[in-house]
Amino acid sequence: MTYTEPGLATTRQVKFDLNERPFIVIWEMTRACDLKCKHCRAMASPQRDEMELTTKEAKSLLDDIASLGSPKPVVVLTGGDPCKREDLLELISYSRSLGLATGVAPSGTPLLSSEMVTNIRHAGATSMSLSLDGADPDTHDSFRGEPGSFELTLDAAITAISAGMRLQLNSSVCKTTVMELPKLAKLALELGVITWSLFLLVPTGRGIDLEALSADEIEDLFHFCVDISQIIPVKVTEAPHYRRVLAMRAALSESGEDWIKRLNPGLLYYELRNQFDNLGIGPKINQTTDRATTKRPPLAINAGNGFAFVSHRGDVCPSGFLPISAGNIRFEPLSVIYKTSELFKNLRDSSTLNGKCGRCEFNGVCGGSRSRAFGVNNDTNSDDPSCNYVPGTFQI
Ligand code: SF4
C-alpha cells in the first residue's frame, strides 16, 4: 500500500488559515554587517544602504502586521546585523507595544555586548537567534570571516538566556560544516536552546560558492536529526522534506518495522551518530519516532505559505532565500501583498507544483524548498533538487 497519511502526527499545524495571514514575518532591517560570512544570502557589507526603510516606515510595517488579528504573526528582526541600526531598541519597544512577539537575530560582533543583549531584552524582545556554524573558534570564525565571533556569540547566548530570552541557535549546513553538527548539538543541549535550527544551503548570495550536501547526504542528515530530536528541539530551514522523513519514520514505527532496514541510511548518518554518541551526552536515543518522542515537531509552513520576508528596502518576498519581490511595502501593505499577490498565492497551492514534487504523495506535508527550486532551476514550481525521494515508492 502506498503511504497516504499526511504526516500530521509529526508536524505542528498552524491553527488559522495561512491564506489570510502569515505565521511569521522576517524583516531584514539592514544589510549592513561587520561579518563576512561565506554563505551570506544578503551579501552584506559594513555600510548601511541609504534606501533602507526609515523608522517611520518600519513602524507602519509593524502597525500593518499587528492589524492582521490574533494570533498575531511573530516578528523577527534580522539583517545583515540589526545592531547596525540605531533605532533597533526603539523598534523592538514599538513592536512589543503592539502585542507582537518579537525576536532579534543579531550578528556575533563587538556590537553585541552584554549590555546590548540586556537592552534588547529590556526593550521587549522575547527571543534571540544566534548563529554558530562551528563548535570552536577556528571553525566558526573562519566560516564567519571574523576572528573573535565565536566567543562573542557564545557570551551573547549565555547572557540572552540569563536575561530570560528564548534562544534559537542557527547553524549553516554545507560540506565544510556538516561534521561540526554533533558537537554543535552538544552545545545546543548545554545552552538549553528553545530550537536548534539547521539552515541547509540555498545557492543564493555568497552561498553560490559553497558546496551543498548531496540529496543522499541530506537524507542521512535528516535521519540524524530525527534521532536527536528526542532530546534536542531541531528545526530544519529550507528543507521541508525533513517533515517527509519524520512522517516515514513515524509510519514505520507505528507498524513496528525497523526503519534502518527499510530506509537504509548511508555512511554520513553513521558518522554523525557515532560522533554524537561518543560525546556521551543526553539520555539514550531509542528507535521509535512519533510526536510523543519528537521535541517541538516542525511547523507546517513554507516560503510564502505562512512565511513572509521583507527586505531592507521594503520588498516583500516569500523567503529571504527566494529573492523575488511580490510588491513593496512603500506602495502596498504587506498584509495585502501576502494575501493577494500571484506569487504568494501560487506558493500556497500545491496543485501548481511540477515534476516530482507535483506527483509526490508527501507534497501536502512537504512541498519541497521553493527557494532551492528557484535557486537551482530558476522555477519556483519545479522539483526540489535536494530531495532523493521517488514518489510512490514508500509502501507500508
Ligand atoms: S519529492 Fe518534493 S514534495 Fe516529495 S518529499 Fe521530495 S521535496 Fe517533498
Side-chain angles (χ1 to χ4, degrees), residues 283-346:
K284 196 165 169 50
I285 294 166
N286 70 42
Q287 294 296 5
T288 59
T289 308
D290 55 36
R291 194 181 165 110
T293 57
T294 303
K295 280 190 178 255
R296 270 176 83 76
L299 267 170
I301 59 173
N302 282 358
N305 185 17
F307 193 101
F309 175 87
V310 182
S311 81
H312 65 302
R313 291 185 174 193
D315 286 312
V316 178
C317 305
S319 147
F321 297 96
L322 182 39
I324 310 176
S325 176
N328 190 292
I329 65 147
R330 286 183 160 132
F331 307 107
E332 197 174 18
L334 164 86
S335 50
V336 175
I337 297 169
Y338 176 85
K339 194 171 165 181
T340 63
S341 81
E342 289 307 315
L343 175 63
F344 276 71
K345 284 200 292 186
N346 170 65

Side-chain angles (χ1 to χ4, degrees), residues 219 239-245 248 302 353-370 382-391:
E219 203 78 0
H241 44 316
Y242 176 54
R243 302 198 288 260
R244 187 250 306 153
V245 171
M248 290 163 84
N302 282 358
L353 292 172
N354 295 325
K356 196 170 81 161
C357 290
R359 294 192 305 278
C360 181
E361 67 274 30
F362 287 98
N363 67 18
V365 71
C366 166
S369 165
R370 298 299 99 216
S382 67
D383 291 344
D384 178 346
S386 70
C387 175
N388 73 356
Y389 181 66
V390 179

